[in-house]
Every structure is written in C-alpha cells, then in structure tokens.
Amino acid sequence: MTRILSDLGAALALLFVLEGIFPFLSPGGTKRALARILSFGDREVRIAGLGSMIVGVVLLFLIN
C-alpha cells in the first residue's frame, strides 16, 4: 500500500512540474492560451479532456 501511495505522490509531483514548465517559460503565451480556452464551448473542452485522458491511459499501458 505504501508503494502505491509513493508512486501516486511521485506522479502528482511530476504533473505539477510538467504543468509549470509552459507558464514559467512563456507567461504571455500561457495567458493567451487560457484566454482562448475561455472562448471554447463546453463540448470542445470536454473533447480535449477526453483526448488527454485517452492519451494518458495509452501511455500508461505502453509504459507498464
């Protein structure tokens, strides 16, 4: 059980690192991207989220 929690913690830490790279390197680009996302409808955001989840599951499958 502690191994699972350790792996989960490492995965969450890596998520924060990866999500912080773009805003750190290009704050203006991040603001423009977020402003553009606000103009998307709910359907487009859901499709993007679903696509992201599918890619994540496929990557996990390939890695393990």
Side-chain angles (χ1 to χ4, degrees):
M1 182 68 171
T2 58
R3 172 72 182 184
I4 292 172
L5 292 176
S6 175
D7 287 347
L8 180 61
L12 287 173
L14 184 58
L15 174 72
F16 283 121
V17 169
L18 292 174
E19 285 198 355
I21 290 173
F22 191 62
F24 177 76
L25 295 176
S26 178
T30 301
K31 289 179 182 180
R32 286 190 298 277
L34 291 175
R36 188 161 182 201
I37 289 171
L38 287 174
S39 70
F40 293 167
D42 287 349
R43 184 167 192 248
E44 289 85 7
V45 175
R46 283 194 175 123
I47 290 171
L50 176 62
S52 177
M53 289 187 297
I54 290 171
V55 168
V57 168
V58 169
L59 284 173
L60 281 173
F61 178 76
L62 292 174
I63 290 170
N64 291 319

